[in-house]
Every structure is written in C-alpha cells, then in structure tokens.
Amino acid sequence: MSAASDPLLQPYRLKHLVLKNRVMSTAHEPAYSEDGLAGDRYLRYHLEKAKGGIAMTMTAGSALVAPDSPAAFGNLQAWRDEIVPGLKRLAEDCRAEGCAVMIQLTHLGRRTGWNRGDWLPVLSASPVREPAHRAFPKEAEDWDIERIVADYASAAQRMQAAGLDGIEFEAYGHLMDSFWSPATNHRDDDWGGSLENRLRFTWAVIDAVRAAVGPDFIVGIRMVADEDWEKGLSRAEGVEIARRIAASGKFDFINLIRGHIETDAALTKVIPIHGMASAPHLDFAGEVREATKFPVFHAARIADVATARHAIATGKLDMVGMTRAHIADPHIVAQVMRGQEHRIRPCVGATYCLDRIYEGGEALCIHNAATGREAVMPHVIPRAGQARRVVVVGAGPAGLEAARVAAERGHAVTVLEAGGTAGGQVNLLVKNPRRRELVGIIHWRLEELARLGVTIRYDTWAEAEDVLALTPEVVVVATGGLPQNPPMEAGDALATSSWDVLSGAVRPGAEVLVYDDGGGHAGMSAAEVLARGGARVELVSPERFFAPDIGGMNHAPYMAAFHETGVRVTINTRVIALERAGNRVRAHLGSDFAPGWREAREVDQVVVEHGTTPNDDLYFALKPLARNLGRVDYAALIRPDGPVLPEVNEKGDFLLYRIGDAVAARNIHAGIYDALRMGLRW
C-alpha cells in the first residue's frame, strides 16, 4: 500500500491543528518524572516517538491539578508553575519533528493514597473506597468542588503557557467521573441523583477552563461511556453523556474508554494483556462515533498496524492510539512509510511496562531495553568503527539480542545453539497457551538476524574447542541457566521442576503441590498449566503475598485460572523436606514466623520453582584465554561511553563476557538489556 492511499498516513484536522497522520500515543504515565516535573528523560521518551513519525503524543497519565491529588504512579504535577519550562521544551522539540503534543489533566479523586504527598484527605463524589489504592475517601464538599474547579482552570493555563497543542480531562476511575457513576455517586444533593446533576461538576470544570484558556485552545476528554459493571455507569447513560459532550460545543474530541478500573481484574479488561482479546472495545468506540458524529480517539490493545489501519479505514476512529506498541517500537510510522511493516518490533502484550510502574517505579518494555533510556541507549544501533568476528553461544532472548546488536554494528556473527530451535526459556513459558504471544520476542529477532545474514548453528552443544575453531575476536556467553531446587533438609530427588511440568517431560500427578520459592511467572505458570490440565493443585509460597515479582495486571489472569480450577493458595509457608509415602510424596511444611510449627501434605507430585543456576561451564573454560579474563568494569558500564572490558591478559585472543541467566537468574528484560548495553561498548 502506498503512502498516498494508506488510511493511517492521511492527515487529520482537529480544529485548527493538522495532524500529519492518524496514529497517536494516548496519555499514560511512564513514571519518568523528576520531582513531579518533566525533565530530560521524559522529553527524550516522547521525542523518540516524534522522530519515529507519530502524529501526536499525549503526555502524562495523568497530570495532577491539585495538591490533594497526590501522585499514585510518578504523575506530573500540573498544579506547580515550575512544570511549564520542561513541558515547553518537550513541546518545542517534538513539534520540530512534526509531532503535536497534548497533556491529560486530572484530579485522581479516590485513586490514590492519603499517606502520600502532603497527607491531605483523599476525596470522591461519595465516600466509596477504591480497592486498588485502598484509601477511604471523604465526600467532596461544596468548597472542595469550588477550589478543584479553579485548580483545573489554573492547570490548563499552565499547559497553554507551555505551548502545548491542547489538553484532555481524564474521566474514568478518577474524580470527574466519580460524579457520573451510580457506583461512586450516592449523593442526594445538587451533585447527585439525575444525570443532569451528576454532570454538573464536568460542566463547571469545562466552563472554568474555557474562561481561562479561551475558545481556540483544544480541549478534549478521555471518558468512559460504559463501565461494563452492573452497579456502574450503563452503556445507555454513558453514550448519552458522550452525546451531550459532543453537542455542548465546549469540547473538541472524545477519547473513549470502556470498563472500570477499581481492581486489577477490572483494569485488565480495560487494558488487556497477552492472552486476551485484541482491540476488544474498538467496535464500541465506532458505535459512539456514529452516535455522536464527533471526533473519537481510542486505544486498548491495538498493537498491530493492520488493526490500526482497519480502525481508520472503516470509520470507527478518527485517531488510533497505539500506546504500548510505541513503547515496544517508537518508530512504527516511519517503518510503515518505508514499506517495512514486517520490521516493526511487536508489542507482545506482556504488559511488563505497566506492571513495572507499580512494582519497579518506571515503565520498561520487556524486549526493548532502549525505551526510557534514550539518553544512553539508542533505538537505532550505530555502526562500529571496526568489524570483528563474534561468536554468541546461546539463542535465547539474550543471545539473539546480542547477535542482533553485533550484526547491526557491522560485525560478522555466528550463533551456536545447543537445541534444535531458538528461544531458550521462552519456549517453556509459551507452553502456557495464554502466554503464546510472547514468542514474538524470539520470532522478531530471528527475522532480523536473517535479514542481517547471521549464521545460527543449531544442535551444537558448544565446548571451548568449538568456539576457538571459529577464531573469534569477541565471545558472548548467553547459555542461560538450569533449574535448581529450593533449599530443603531432605528429599531433593523427589522434587519435580517447573521446567519438567511446562515442557511436558514429566507427566503431571492427579494431586500436586507447587512450591513457588521464585516469586515470578515460572511457578505460577506451572500451577496454572497443571490446574487447567485437571490436577488438584495447592500453591505454597514463603512470601507474605505470593508471586511478588508479578505485577497486578499479570496477576489477574493467574488468579482467574486459580479460582476457576480450585487452586488452593498457602502463603507464609515453606516446604522444608520431602519423603516418600508409599506411592506418594509427603511434603513437610514449616514457618519462618513460628519455628516449631509443622504441617504435612501427601500428594502425587511436588513441583518446585527456585529460579535457575548459571549454566556457566563454557564461560569458565574460556575465561583464562580471554584478553579481559571475563572482567567487566561496572563503573565504566554505568557511564554513557567508553570501554568496559579491561584488557588484562596480553596472551588472550578474544574478549569474553556473559549475559542474562548465564550470570544469575533474572528475567527477559535483564538479559536483553545486558546484550544491548554490552554490545554497544566494544
């Protein structure tokens, strides 16, 4: 399809603003703020998308209009005058690339905590607690409403002063729509009851904002038009609200959401992860557009160009949000314009990005380690000054990334892989049918390596002599790890690893105890696969809450599976020993909290998960022969440039380092980040 005929690449006029194509990144908070302000990291993150051809990037999710709306996940503080210079620079730099910039404003209402920021009371339309953030809100009083309306107007003025192209209000799960929804508005005064009363706060805010910024500044609303909730805002009332907003003449666009977000389970239906439906609310967005005859934007797991193109071509949307997709690859539009859609790094739906915000304090893509690190990690790999012969041992995600980076730099690369296929531990995790999309992490890299002419030798268990026969100048050991048992007093030989269960190497028992002493996906996935296969499963964890390395959005489908299949969960408990009990296994349980406490379970099988131990024999065999003796200068590595492999052995013939689980048990992102940052430094 040519650029001239591609629906995605057609311009769109929004009021006075001409957007160069139909692709946008909707508002989200990557938690890159610095003291509540948009600094260099925030700027570079959005600027990369602008360089990649996107028409508009919406910053903040959401920027806060008042001090009593304290940050819940690194939010920008739009109530401070100091925010203007940083946003002004961001807008100017993105606009120089032909990209419009807007921002989302909100008062979080009950979707935050009272013990944050200045410890001011959390408020909402009514004192209905939100389970996700757990605060008990007070009912907003008349003077609260008056001051918050004024806060919206002041924040909008700051955004206008920063030179942004426009703003949108956030009205799903926050203060504004808490007045709309019967689930959160139980008032019997002028702000509750009839739909007219429930909309009074919205009209008060938009009137104050229009008075502050004038009629020409673009103002939209990201709103829920159906909470998909028996006690919440109905589809009929939600669409009616959209009609009234469209007919008011006060707004310029609707950015549509469907669902509610007060729990992790509900949130995953609004923002689906892998294993869930693609673009589940797109048709509904199209129905609202048809009902309102008004500009409609929308984003919810529109992860691929074909779906985005369909959304525009069929008239369902005016602008299509590809937000997580741009976290995976900020250059989507540029690739489309070059006719290279097949080279777009896919969003695999892992939602590591969003879970990281809550669990780790910043958004990171599971398989693009440059996102959020634009100051030091390039999205486009530069050529090296000198081409070298490189051997990468291992074709898991870390090894494939190391090979890709080296080949992009112009090196001659050979990959040695022990198995018959690439993928490493990804081949295990996709044995859970719900997680099959994550194989895209591997497939994309294999396609890139084929394009770059990299040789992969399968079924090659590399010994030192195999590597040396290739006369390498650089060797990257990405041999991964092997499963290990958790510490137990006795009975190691009676344990079955999660790998054995997921791979199908061991037949599941009828009654299984899964001892998850890893806290990540492997143990949980083993329990899910076993339970879906018909086993009666108990998951035992020593943690005070289980699977702490899995964020809330990924936790939700595991718990759905556990409840549907009757998995029993026991926390704060260790398996301290195993012994035979006839044809069964007796697991002895103990407690960190009460050392004398003991219980026992008799089951057909005990499956254990305790991470991996490095598969490092090859590394240590090669280490004495390397010019750097395997050393990595960490102090140099965390600086932006310079060599990181100190040459301390003049008799050595090659540089050597290991990455990923060949160093220590971590995760996919860690291995890919190892490969990227190390591969750029020699």
Side-chain angles (χ1 to χ4, degrees), residues 37 80-89 158-159 161-162:
L37 306 178
R80 295 169 57 191
D81 292 341
E82 297 94 324
I83 200 170
V84 171
L87 287 178
K88 184 177 180 64
R89 181 179 163 220
R158 293 184 189 94
M159 302 306 104

Side-chain angles (χ1 to χ4, degrees), residues 144-154 191 201 204-206 208-209:
D144 288 315
I145 294 171
E146 181 180 343
R147 66 178 173 78
I148 292 170
V149 167
D151 287 337
Y152 267 100
S154 297
W191 303 95
F201 179 73
V205 169
I206 186 60
V209 166

Side-chain angles (χ1 to χ4, degrees), residues 488-540:
M488 292 188 291
E489 295 173 2
D492 263 24
L494 299 176
T496 299
S497 77
S498 64
W499 285 31
D500 289 333
V501 168
L502 291 171
S503 68
V506 173
R507 184 171 179 168
E511 189 173 2
V512 183
L513 185 151
V514 176
Y515 179 38
D516 182 12
D517 195 23
H521 282 280
M524 294 282 278
S525 217
E528 180 179 353
V529 168
L530 285 162
R532 293 287 192 199
R536 296 189 304 278
V537 177
E538 178 181 6
L539 185 143
V540 175

